[in-house]
Amino acid sequence: IGADADVKGFLKRNLILHLTGGGFFAHTIAGDLPYLLDWSATCNAVVIIPEYALFPHKFPASITEVTQIYRALRCGQAATVLGFQPDRIIVSGESVGGNLAAALCVTLTMEHEEGQSTELTSGRIAEMVSDREDTLFYGETEETNTLIIPGDFSSERRCMGLKTPDALMLCCPALNLSLDPTPSRIDGANDPILPSALISTISNSYLGGCPVRHPVASPLFASESILRKFPPTLIFTSSDDPFLDDAVAFNGRLRSVGVKSQLRAVHNLPHAFWGLSTCGVPEARQVQKECSQWLAKMFAQ
């Protein structure tokens, strides 16, 4: 479907673009479906779950595919396939899916700032991260080493500078793929879902040599100018989640630049707990109730 697809006459539907967890090794669709069906019924929204690229594919394969899917939805390119035109789009993501959801907003903002350029030199990336470290980049000069913003957009100029999603809803997002020993990572080293050794495996396998502070790989390190463009955001985390400190820091950075961001911390649940609502866990069931209410509120705006 070309970029000039005619979307007139298609019914508009609200849409949830859900990005699963799974450490870039698997998709957790089966475990996510029960609560996704609840969200869909409560909000009368269509849920789309893309099966983005997994290992052995490395960065930026996954975010490239997610960005292309979002672009097709937002530009109307998918309307003739879906049978409807997306109206409001909320992106949700758990664990590494939360990484991709935030990275999508970073990517769209970088595209807008770069105009029609899709290539970033190491020097340009330095301007987009919040704390430059000279050792983070592939090479020493801009002329010899470059990094690419995810996606090949040469045939889709009309969709450059797309608006970000209407809202983000994240659970235990992996916003920082560095191996920094934050207090929550130390306390959560034996998390039953995400022990410290698995964090290292995920980071090393996914990054494949990419600078760990690349703002698309680790959205926590995006500059204020990028974070300022984020939509309303709701972040769920747990007191026991290894990524708790990163979620708190990201929420604080968003709020400091005027983004309507909220953080909800639940006690005594492991990493990536959204699916535990179907197991009868009271705290997880309450979280799902809050999710449905917040989604309905965002779609009504």
Side-chain angles (χ1 to χ4, degrees):
I1 303 172
D4 296 323
D6 184 3
V7 297
K8 294 180 179 179
F10 283 97
L11 178 69
K12 287 191 173 183
R13 297 288 305 275
N14 287 329
L15 189 147
I16 299 170
L17 181 63
H18 180 69
L19 305 174
T20 68
F24 299 114
F25 290 99
H27 292 293
T28 59
I29 297 175
D32 295 356
L33 273 179
Y35 65 78
L36 292 175
L37 291 172
D38 288 341
W39 293 356
S40 177
T42 301
C43 304
N44 190 29
V46 176
V47 178
I48 292 180
I49 314 170
E51 293 185 324
Y52 55 79
L54 300 174
F55 185 81
H57 297 286
K58 299 180 183 295
F59 177 88
S62 302
I63 186 58
T64 295
E65 294 183 355
V66 169
T67 303
Q68 291 171 341
I69 291 168
Y70 178 82
R71 182 177 295 105
L73 293 169
R74 184 63 86 181
C75 287
Q77 294 170 267
T80 55
V81 175
L82 298 174
F84 66 88
Q85 168 69 358
D87 188 6
R88 295 182 66 80
I89 301 177
I90 295 178
V91 178
S92 61
E94 187 170 50
S95 190
V96 298
N99 171 290
L100 293 174
L104 171 64
C105 293
V106 173
T107 300
L108 294 172
T109 302
M110 290 169 71
E111 288 178 11
H112 178 73
E113 291 188 356
E114 290 294 307
Q116 294 186 344
S117 175
T118 63
E119 186 174 71
L120 287 182
T121 64
S122 59
R124 181 70 183 104
I125 290 174
E127 297 171 5
M128 290 188 167
V129 298
S130 60
D131 184 14
R132 177 168 183 170
E133 294 184 10
D134 292 338
T135 59
L136 297 178
F137 307 114
Y138 287 125
E140 298 180 353
T141 65
E142 292 187 11
E143 290 74 23
T144 58
N145 290 278
T146 60
L147 293 176
I148 306 298
I149 296 180
D152 178 6
F153 313 130
S154 59
S155 63
E156 301 179 4
R157 299 300 189 192
R158 188 174 72 89
C159 294
M160 295 299 293
L162 284 174
K163 63 175 291 190
T164 55
D166 294 286
L168 287 184
M169 189 168 69
L170 315 176
C171 180
C172 304
L175 300 166
N176 174 10
L177 294 183
S178 77
L179 303 180
D180 297 339
T182 63
S184 64
R185 295 190 186 200
I186 294 173
D187 292 341
N190 295 317
D191 183 87
I193 306 299
L194 190 68
S196 58
L198 185 55
I199 295 177
S200 176
T201 299
I202 291 171
S203 178
N204 293 332
S205 299
Y206 177 64
L207 292 175
C210 169
V212 71
R213 294 195 180 215
H214 187 310
V216 178
S218 293
L220 177 63
F221 300 113
S223 67
E224 290 186 357
S225 65
I226 291 176
L227 296 180
R228 192 172 289 115
K229 303 295 179 61
F230 267 59
T233 301
L234 176 59
I235 305 172
F236 288 98
T237 186
S238 168
S239 60
D240 297 338
D241 181 29
F243 292 148
L244 169 64
D245 291 339
D246 299 326
V248 171
F250 191 67
N251 178 66
R253 294 198 65 208
L254 289 177
R255 292 176 65 88
S256 71
V257 295
V259 175
K260 295 180 179 179
S261 181
Q262 304 174 58
L263 180 71
R264 295 284 188 270
V266 185
H267 288 289
N268 304 320
L269 287 180
H271 175 77
F273 55 81
W274 265 350
L276 294 180
S277 59
T278 59
C279 301
V281 178
E283 294 86 352
R285 293 179 67 178
Q286 177 60 33
V287 165
Q288 285 304 326
K289 182 178 179 181
E290 293 185 26
C291 287
S292 294
Q293 293 173 343
W294 191 81
L295 287 168
K297 178 182 177 181
M298 292 297 104
F299 281 132
Q301 292 184 357

